PDB file of all heavy atoms in Angstrom:
ATOM      1  N   PHE M   1      99.774  94.220  91.979  1.00 96.00           N
ATOM      2  CA  PHE M   1      98.480  94.878  91.796  1.00 96.00           C
ATOM      3  C   PHE M   1      98.684  96.368  91.512  1.00 96.00           C
ATOM      4  O   PHE M   1      99.285  97.087  92.301  1.00 96.00           O
ATOM      5  CB  PHE M   1      97.594  94.707  93.026  1.00 96.00           C
ATOM      6  CG  PHE M   1      97.060  93.307  93.186  1.00 96.00           C
ATOM      7  CD1 PHE M   1      97.515  92.489  94.209  1.00 96.00           C
ATOM      8  CD2 PHE M   1      96.125  92.803  92.304  1.00 96.00           C
ATOM      9  CE1 PHE M   1      97.043  91.197  94.366  1.00 96.00           C
ATOM     10  CE2 PHE M   1      95.632  91.510  92.440  1.00 96.00           C
ATOM     11  CZ  PHE M   1      96.099  90.702  93.476  1.00 96.00           C
ATOM     12  N   GLN M   2      98.183  96.808  90.380  1.00 92.00           N
ATOM     13  CA  GLN M   2      98.232  98.212  89.977  1.00 92.00           C
ATOM     14  C   GLN M   2      96.801  98.678  89.737  1.00 92.00           C
ATOM     15  O   GLN M   2      96.063  98.040  88.991  1.00 92.00           O
ATOM     16  CB  GLN M   2      99.061  98.391  88.710  1.00 92.00           C
ATOM     17  CG  GLN M   2     100.500  97.909  88.839  1.00 92.00           C
ATOM     18  CD  GLN M   2     101.310  98.767  89.789  1.00 92.00           C
ATOM     19  OE1 GLN M   2     101.386  99.987  89.641  1.00 92.00           O
ATOM     20  NE2 GLN M   2     101.924  98.130  90.782  1.00 92.00           N
ATOM     21  N   SER M   3      96.417  99.777  90.364  1.00 87.00           N
ATOM     22  CA  SER M   3      95.019 100.203  90.274  1.00 87.00           C
ATOM     23  C   SER M   3      94.895 101.685  90.604  1.00 87.00           C
ATOM     24  O   SER M   3      95.689 102.233  91.368  1.00 87.00           O
ATOM     25  CB  SER M   3      94.152  99.387  91.242  1.00 87.00           C
ATOM     26  OG  SER M   3      92.852  99.904  91.343  1.00 87.00           O
ATOM     27  N   LYS M   4      93.888 102.330  90.016  1.00 83.00           N
ATOM     28  CA  LYS M   4      93.579 103.715  90.373  1.00 83.00           C
ATOM     29  C   LYS M   4      93.022 103.781  91.787  1.00 83.00           C
ATOM     30  O   LYS M   4      93.145 104.792  92.476  1.00 83.00           O
ATOM     31  CB  LYS M   4      92.587 104.304  89.372  1.00 83.00           C
ATOM     32  CG  LYS M   4      93.175 104.531  87.981  1.00 83.00           C
ATOM     33  CD  LYS M   4      92.151 105.162  87.049  1.00 83.00           C
ATOM     34  CE  LYS M   4      92.753 105.392  85.667  1.00 83.00           C
ATOM     35  NZ  LYS M   4      91.763 105.995  84.727  1.00 83.00           N
ATOM     36  N   ASN M   5      92.381 102.707  92.204  1.00 88.00           N
ATOM     37  CA  ASN M   5      91.913 102.599  93.579  1.00 88.00           C
ATOM     38  C   ASN M   5      93.100 102.151  94.423  1.00 88.00           C
ATOM     39  O   ASN M   5      93.610 101.044  94.275  1.00 88.00           O
ATOM     40  CB  ASN M   5      90.782 101.577  93.663  1.00 88.00           C
ATOM     41  CG  ASN M   5      90.200 101.453  95.057  1.00 88.00           C
ATOM     42  OD1 ASN M   5      90.739 102.008  96.018  1.00 88.00           O
ATOM     43  ND2 ASN M   5      89.118 100.712  95.188  1.00 88.00           N
ATOM     44  N   ARG M   6      93.561 103.014  95.292  1.00 92.00           N
ATOM     45  CA  ARG M   6      94.819 102.782  96.010  1.00 92.00           C
ATOM     46  C   ARG M   6      94.776 101.555  96.924  1.00 92.00           C
ATOM     47  O   ARG M   6      95.793 100.894  97.126  1.00 92.00           O
ATOM     48  CB  ARG M   6      95.169 104.028  96.821  1.00 92.00           C
ATOM     49  CG  ARG M   6      95.573 105.212  95.954  1.00 92.00           C
ATOM     50  CD  ARG M   6      95.254 106.548  96.627  1.00 92.00           C
ATOM     51  NE  ARG M   6      95.830 106.697  97.938  1.00 92.00           N
ATOM     52  CZ  ARG M   6      97.043 107.166  98.180  1.00 92.00           C
ATOM     53  NH1 ARG M   6      97.828 107.498  97.180  1.00 92.00           N
ATOM     54  NH2 ARG M   6      97.490 107.299  99.409  1.00 92.00           N
ATOM     55  N   TYR M   7      93.613 101.247  97.472  1.00 96.00           N
ATOM     56  CA  TYR M   7      93.491 100.107  98.381  1.00 96.00           C
ATOM     57  C   TYR M   7      92.249  99.282  98.016  1.00 96.00           C
ATOM     58  O   TYR M   7      91.263  99.267  98.756  1.00 96.00           O
ATOM     59  CB  TYR M   7      93.407 100.589  99.835  1.00 96.00           C
ATOM     60  CG  TYR M   7      94.581 101.441 100.241  1.00 96.00           C
ATOM     61  CD1 TYR M   7      94.456 102.831 100.341  1.00 96.00           C
ATOM     62  CD2 TYR M   7      95.820 100.875 100.491  1.00 96.00           C
ATOM     63  CE1 TYR M   7      95.544 103.614 100.697  1.00 96.00           C
ATOM     64  CE2 TYR M   7      96.912 101.656 100.849  1.00 96.00           C
ATOM     65  CZ  TYR M   7      96.764 103.024 100.950  1.00 96.00           C
ATOM     66  OH  TYR M   7      97.842 103.804 101.290  1.00 96.00           O
ATOM     67  N   PRO M   8      92.290  98.591  96.895  1.00 96.00           N
ATOM     68  CA  PRO M   8      91.100  97.855  96.438  1.00 96.00           C
ATOM     69  C   PRO M   8      90.887  96.545  97.194  1.00 96.00           C
ATOM     70  O   PRO M   8      91.817  95.978  97.778  1.00 96.00           O
ATOM     71  CB  PRO M   8      91.424  97.570  94.970  1.00 96.00           C
ATOM     72  CG  PRO M   8      92.914  97.456  94.951  1.00 96.00           C
ATOM     73  CD  PRO M   8      93.407  98.476  95.958  1.00 96.00           C
ATOM     74  N   GLU M   9      89.649  96.079  97.142  1.00 96.00           N
ATOM     75  CA  GLU M   9      89.338  94.751  97.651  1.00 96.00           C
ATOM     76  C   GLU M   9      89.800  93.715  96.630  1.00 96.00           C
ATOM     77  O   GLU M   9      89.697  93.923  95.421  1.00 96.00           O
ATOM     78  CB  GLU M   9      87.827  94.612  97.890  1.00 96.00           C
ATOM     79  CG  GLU M   9      87.295  95.531  98.970  1.00 96.00           C
ATOM     80  CD  GLU M   9      85.795  95.362  99.181  1.00 96.00           C
ATOM     81  OE1 GLU M   9      85.244  94.333  98.709  1.00 96.00           O
ATOM     82  OE2 GLU M   9      85.185  96.241  99.809  1.00 96.00           O
ATOM     83  N   VAL M  10      90.328  92.615  97.129  1.00 96.00           N
ATOM     84  CA  VAL M  10      90.822  91.538  96.268  1.00 96.00           C
ATOM     85  C   VAL M  10      90.355  90.206  96.839  1.00 96.00           C
ATOM     86  O   VAL M  10      90.493  89.962  98.047  1.00 96.00           O
ATOM     87  CB  VAL M  10      92.368  91.564  96.187  1.00 96.00           C
ATOM     88  CG1 VAL M  10      92.887  90.352  95.435  1.00 96.00           C
ATOM     89  CG2 VAL M  10      92.862  92.829  95.528  1.00 96.00           C
ATOM     90  N   THR M  11      89.824  89.353  95.990  1.00 97.00           N
ATOM     91  CA  THR M  11      89.424  88.021  96.438  1.00 97.00           C
ATOM     92  C   THR M  11      90.608  87.064  96.329  1.00 97.00           C
ATOM     93  O   THR M  11      91.581  87.325  95.608  1.00 97.00           O
ATOM     94  CB  THR M  11      88.270  87.479  95.587  1.00 97.00           C
ATOM     95  OG1 THR M  11      88.737  87.255  94.243  1.00 97.00           O
ATOM     96  CG2 THR M  11      87.096  88.456  95.559  1.00 97.00           C
ATOM     97  N   LEU M  12      90.516  85.942  97.028  1.00 97.00           N
ATOM     98  CA  LEU M  12      91.577  84.947  96.939  1.00 97.00           C
ATOM     99  C   LEU M  12      91.644  84.352  95.535  1.00 97.00           C
ATOM    100  O   LEU M  12      92.723  83.952  95.083  1.00 97.00           O
ATOM    101  CB  LEU M  12      91.353  83.850  97.979  1.00 97.00           C
ATOM    102  CG  LEU M  12      91.554  84.259  99.441  1.00 97.00           C
ATOM    103  CD1 LEU M  12      91.348  83.065 100.359  1.00 97.00           C
ATOM    104  CD2 LEU M  12      92.937  84.856  99.665  1.00 97.00           C
ATOM    105  N   LEU M  13      90.515  84.345  94.835  1.00 97.00           N
ATOM    106  CA  LEU M  13      90.500  83.860  93.455  1.00 97.00           C
ATOM    107  C   LEU M  13      91.286  84.815  92.559  1.00 97.00           C
ATOM    108  O   LEU M  13      92.070  84.374  91.701  1.00 97.00           O
ATOM    109  CB  LEU M  13      89.057  83.740  92.956  1.00 97.00           C
ATOM    110  CG  LEU M  13      88.857  83.082  91.582  1.00 97.00           C
ATOM    111  CD1 LEU M  13      89.366  81.645  91.609  1.00 97.00           C
ATOM    112  CD2 LEU M  13      87.384  83.120  91.183  1.00 97.00           C
ATOM    113  N   GLU M  14      91.109  86.120  92.760  1.00 97.00           N
ATOM    114  CA  GLU M  14      91.871  87.116  91.997  1.00 97.00           C
ATOM    115  C   GLU M  14      93.348  87.044  92.351  1.00 97.00           C
ATOM    116  O   GLU M  14      94.214  87.207  91.479  1.00 97.00           O
ATOM    117  CB  GLU M  14      91.318  88.517  92.277  1.00 97.00           C
ATOM    118  CG  GLU M  14      89.940  88.764  91.675  1.00 97.00           C
ATOM    119  CD  GLU M  14      89.333  90.069  92.147  1.00 97.00           C
ATOM    120  OE1 GLU M  14      89.535  90.423  93.328  1.00 97.00           O
ATOM    121  OE2 GLU M  14      88.658  90.729  91.335  1.00 97.00           O
ATOM    122  N   LEU M  15      93.631  86.790  93.610  1.00 97.00           N
ATOM    123  CA  LEU M  15      95.022  86.646  94.034  1.00 97.00           C
ATOM    124  C   LEU M  15      95.670  85.464  93.327  1.00 97.00           C
ATOM    125  O   LEU M  15      96.793  85.566  92.810  1.00 97.00           O
ATOM    126  CB  LEU M  15      95.091  86.461  95.548  1.00 97.00           C
ATOM    127  CG  LEU M  15      96.474  86.180  96.142  1.00 97.00           C
ATOM    128  CD1 LEU M  15      97.383  87.379  95.963  1.00 97.00           C
ATOM    129  CD2 LEU M  15      96.351  85.802  97.614  1.00 97.00           C
ATOM    130  N   SER M  16      94.967  84.353  93.287  1.00 97.00           N
ATOM    131  CA  SER M  16      95.491  83.162  92.627  1.00 97.00           C
ATOM    132  C   SER M  16      95.762  83.414  91.150  1.00 97.00           C
ATOM    133  O   SER M  16      96.793  83.002  90.613  1.00 97.00           O
ATOM    134  CB  SER M  16      94.504  82.002  92.793  1.00 97.00           C
ATOM    135  OG  SER M  16      94.958  80.857  92.118  1.00 97.00           O
ATOM    136  N   ALA M  17      94.841  84.134  90.486  1.00 97.00           N
ATOM    137  CA  ALA M  17      94.989  84.422  89.058  1.00 97.00           C
ATOM    138  C   ALA M  17      96.169  85.350  88.792  1.00 97.00           C
ATOM    139  O   ALA M  17      96.794  85.289  87.729  1.00 97.00           O
ATOM    140  CB  ALA M  17      93.699  85.036  88.519  1.00 97.00           C
ATOM    141  N   ALA M  18      96.494  86.214  89.757  1.00 96.00           N
ATOM    142  CA  ALA M  18      97.605  87.163  89.585  1.00 96.00           C
ATOM    143  C   ALA M  18      98.966  86.476  89.668  1.00 96.00           C
ATOM    144  O   ALA M  18      99.961  86.999  89.164  1.00 96.00           O
ATOM    145  CB  ALA M  18      97.511  88.271  90.630  1.00 96.00           C
ATOM    146  N   LYS M  19      99.020  85.333  90.336  1.00 97.00           N
ATOM    147  CA  LYS M  19     100.246  84.525  90.450  1.00 97.00           C
ATOM    148  C   LYS M  19     101.429  85.310  91.046  1.00 97.00           C
ATOM    149  O   LYS M  19     102.482  85.473  90.407  1.00 97.00           O
ATOM    150  CB  LYS M  19     100.637  83.936  89.101  1.00 97.00           C
ATOM    151  CG  LYS M  19      99.600  82.998  88.512  1.00 97.00           C
ATOM    152  CD  LYS M  19     100.095  82.350  87.241  1.00 97.00           C
ATOM    153  CE  LYS M  19      99.027  81.459  86.607  1.00 97.00           C
ATOM    154  NZ  LYS M  19      98.555  80.391  87.530  1.00 97.00           N
ATOM    155  N   PRO M  20     101.295  85.810  92.258  1.00 98.00           N
ATOM    156  CA  PRO M  20     102.430  86.517  92.886  1.00 98.00           C
ATOM    157  C   PRO M  20     103.529  85.536  93.282  1.00 98.00           C
ATOM    158  O   PRO M  20     103.266  84.361  93.569  1.00 98.00           O
ATOM    159  CB  PRO M  20     101.787  87.154  94.120  1.00 98.00           C
ATOM    160  CG  PRO M  20     100.671  86.223  94.469  1.00 98.00           C
ATOM    161  CD  PRO M  20     100.125  85.736  93.162  1.00 98.00           C
ATOM    162  N   ASP M  21     104.750  86.041  93.302  1.00 97.00           N
ATOM    163  CA  ASP M  21     105.855  85.246  93.840  1.00 97.00           C
ATOM    164  C   ASP M  21     105.852  85.294  95.364  1.00 97.00           C
ATOM    165  O   ASP M  21     106.226  84.318  96.027  1.00 97.00           O
ATOM    166  CB  ASP M  21     107.193  85.801  93.332  1.00 97.00           C
ATOM    167  CG  ASP M  21     107.303  85.772  91.819  1.00 97.00           C
ATOM    168  OD1 ASP M  21     107.090  84.696  91.230  1.00 97.00           O
ATOM    169  OD2 ASP M  21     107.592  86.842  91.228  1.00 97.00           O
ATOM    170  N   LEU M  22     105.447  86.453  95.886  1.00 97.00           N
ATOM    171  CA  LEU M  22     105.446  86.679  97.321  1.00 97.00           C
ATOM    172  C   LEU M  22     104.120  87.279  97.756  1.00 97.00           C
ATOM    173  O   LEU M  22     103.524  88.076  97.028  1.00 97.00           O
ATOM    174  CB  LEU M  22     106.570  87.649  97.719  1.00 97.00           C
ATOM    175  CG  LEU M  22     107.998  87.259  97.341  1.00 97.00           C
ATOM    176  CD1 LEU M  22     108.927  88.460  97.512  1.00 97.00           C
ATOM    177  CD2 LEU M  22     108.477  86.102  98.201  1.00 97.00           C
ATOM    178  N   ILE M  23     103.676  86.922  98.939  1.00 98.00           N
ATOM    179  CA  ILE M  23     102.495  87.536  99.543  1.00 98.00           C
ATOM    180  C   ILE M  23     102.925  88.076 100.904  1.00 98.00           C
ATOM    181  O   ILE M  23     103.381  87.327 101.764  1.00 98.00           O
ATOM    182  CB  ILE M  23     101.349  86.525  99.713  1.00 98.00           C
ATOM    183  CG1 ILE M  23     100.914  85.970  98.347  1.00 98.00           C
ATOM    184  CG2 ILE M  23     100.165  87.167 100.435  1.00 98.00           C
ATOM    185  CD1 ILE M  23      99.920  84.815  98.437  1.00 98.00           C
ATOM    186  N   PHE M  24     102.826  89.398 101.050  1.00 98.00           N
ATOM    187  CA  PHE M  24     103.181  90.048 102.309  1.00 98.00           C
ATOM    188  C   PHE M  24     101.907  90.332 103.095  1.00 98.00           C
ATOM    189  O   PHE M  24     100.991  90.998 102.599  1.00 98.00           O
ATOM    190  CB  PHE M  24     103.922  91.362 102.059  1.00 98.00           C
ATOM    191  CG  PHE M  24     105.330  91.208 101.548  1.00 98.00           C
ATOM    192  CD1 PHE M  24     106.036  92.328 101.118  1.00 98.00           C
ATOM    193  CD2 PHE M  24     105.955  89.977 101.516  1.00 98.00           C
ATOM    194  CE1 PHE M  24     107.340  92.201 100.656  1.00 98.00           C
ATOM    195  CE2 PHE M  24     107.258  89.833 101.053  1.00 98.00           C
ATOM    196  CZ  PHE M  24     107.950  90.955 100.620  1.00 98.00           C
ATOM    197  N   LEU M  25     101.850  89.843 104.322  1.00 98.00           N
ATOM    198  CA  LEU M  25     100.737  90.118 105.227  1.00 98.00           C
ATOM    199  C   LEU M  25     101.230  91.114 106.266  1.00 98.00           C
ATOM    200  O   LEU M  25     102.076  90.787 107.108  1.00 98.00           O
ATOM    201  CB  LEU M  25     100.255  88.824 105.896  1.00 98.00           C
ATOM    202  CG  LEU M  25      99.882  87.666 104.959  1.00 98.00           C
ATOM    203  CD1 LEU M  25      99.383  86.470 105.775  1.00 98.00           C
ATOM    204  CD2 LEU M  25      98.828  88.090 103.942  1.00 98.00           C
ATOM    205  N   SER M  26     100.698  92.325 106.212  1.00 98.00           N
ATOM    206  CA  SER M  26     101.221  93.411 107.037  1.00 98.00           C
ATOM    207  C   SER M  26     100.718  93.341 108.475  1.00 98.00           C
ATOM    208  O   SER M  26      99.616  92.844 108.751  1.00 98.00           O
ATOM    209  CB  SER M  26     100.837  94.753 106.415  1.00 98.00           C
ATOM    210  OG  SER M  26     101.343  95.814 107.179  1.00 98.00           O
ATOM    211  N   SER M  27     101.521  93.888 109.359  1.00 97.00           N
ATOM    212  CA  SER M  27     101.147  93.952 110.774  1.00 97.00           C
ATOM    213  C   SER M  27     100.166  95.077 111.067  1.00 97.00           C
ATOM    214  O   SER M  27      99.596  95.135 112.160  1.00 97.00           O
ATOM    215  CB  SER M  27     102.400  94.147 111.631  1.00 97.00           C
ATOM    216  OG  SER M  27     103.052  95.370 111.283  1.00 97.00           O
ATOM    217  N   GLU M  28      99.967  95.987 110.082  1.00 96.00           N
ATOM    218  CA  GLU M  28      99.023  97.083 110.255  1.00 96.00           C
ATOM    219  C   GLU M  28      98.528  97.580 108.891  1.00 96.00           C
ATOM    220  O   GLU M  28      99.219  97.372 107.883  1.00 96.00           O
ATOM    221  CB  GLU M  28      99.673  98.234 111.032  1.00 96.00           C
ATOM    222  CG  GLU M  28     100.890  98.856 110.359  1.00 96.00           C
ATOM    223  CD  GLU M  28     101.352 100.106 111.071  1.00 96.00           C
ATOM    224  OE1 GLU M  28     101.594 100.050 112.282  1.00 96.00           O
ATOM    225  OE2 GLU M  28     101.452 101.149 110.402  1.00 96.00           O
ATOM    226  N   PRO M  29      97.354  98.149 108.815  1.00 95.00           N
ATOM    227  CA  PRO M  29      96.422  98.427 109.912  1.00 95.00           C
ATOM    228  C   PRO M  29      95.716  97.195 110.468  1.00 95.00           C
ATOM    229  O   PRO M  29      95.282  97.193 111.603  1.00 95.00           O
ATOM    230  CB  PRO M  29      95.423  99.400 109.285  1.00 95.00           C
ATOM    231  CG  PRO M  29      95.447  99.082 107.835  1.00 95.00           C
ATOM    232  CD  PRO M  29      96.878  98.706 107.527  1.00 95.00           C
TER     233      PRO M  29
END
């Protein structure tokens, strides 16, 4: 994800369309 908005909202549908190899779920915030 590349965006001028540093921390944008993303839907699971948009995530699916982006086709990432990895999804990192952070411990924070």
Side-chain angles (χ1 to χ4, degrees):
F1 288 110
Q2 301 292 306
S3 171
K4 291 182 180 179
N5 182 351
R6 290 152 55 87
Y7 303 104
E9 295 180 16
V10 173
T11 67
L12 290 182
L13 187 61
E14 290 171 323
L15 175 66
S16 177
K19 298 185 183 302
D21 300 307
L22 302 167
I23 299 172
F24 288 171
L25 306 182
S26 181
S27 61
E28 61 171 54

